Amino acid sequence: MRDLERLRWWLYRVALAAVVIAGLIFRSTRYFWNPIGLWMDEAWWARRLFEQPLTHQLFRPIGYMAVTRLLASMHANEATLRLLSWVGGVLSIF
């Protein structure tokens, strides 16, 4: 019986690791490899991010907007605009 419990524990750990690794691969594929361009709503949001004050942009949380604006002001490209959402998606796997 002890060996069966040990086998179940090991299989559970292996399956859990496989699911987490698969989730990281699926979540990161379009971010790091073969990224797609900004969609219309993302491009509109990116333009408004720098043209208007954060208090006038009520479609996303102001903290999210502030951090994204800070990151994009340091290094402005499409990957930077999606960085915070990617980090959130990766953390949701865990």
Side-chain angles (χ1 to χ4, degrees), residues 27 30-47 49-50 60 64 68-69 71-87:
R27 184 70 183 150
R30 285 293 189 176
Y31 187 77
F32 291 111
W33 306 285
N34 195 18
I36 56 175
L38 291 177
W39 291 50
M40 184 67 122
D41 62 330
E42 292 173 318
W44 173 76
W45 169 74
R47 195 185 91 229
L49 183 64
F50 290 101
R60 292 195 178 163
Y64 177 88
T68 303
R69 181 186 253 179
L71 291 171
S73 67
M74 289 189 274
H75 185 71
N77 66 11
E78 294 175 12
T80 305
L81 291 171
R82 291 180 171 155
L83 179 65
L84 200 56
S85 297
W86 177 79
V87 169

Side-chain angles (χ1 to χ4, degrees), residues 7-51:
L7 178 63
R8 282 185 185 166
W9 180 84
W10 185 81
L11 287 175
Y12 171 77
R13 296 290 181 189
V14 169
L16 183 63
V19 167
V20 168
I21 290 170
L24 289 173
I25 289 171
F26 290 141
R27 184 70 183 150
S28 301
T29 299
R30 285 293 189 176
Y31 187 77
F32 291 111
W33 306 285
N34 195 18
I36 56 175
L38 291 177
W39 291 50
M40 184 67 122
D41 62 330
E42 292 173 318
W44 173 76
W45 169 74
R47 195 185 91 229
R48 285 187 61 189
L49 183 64
F50 290 101
E51 290 179 354

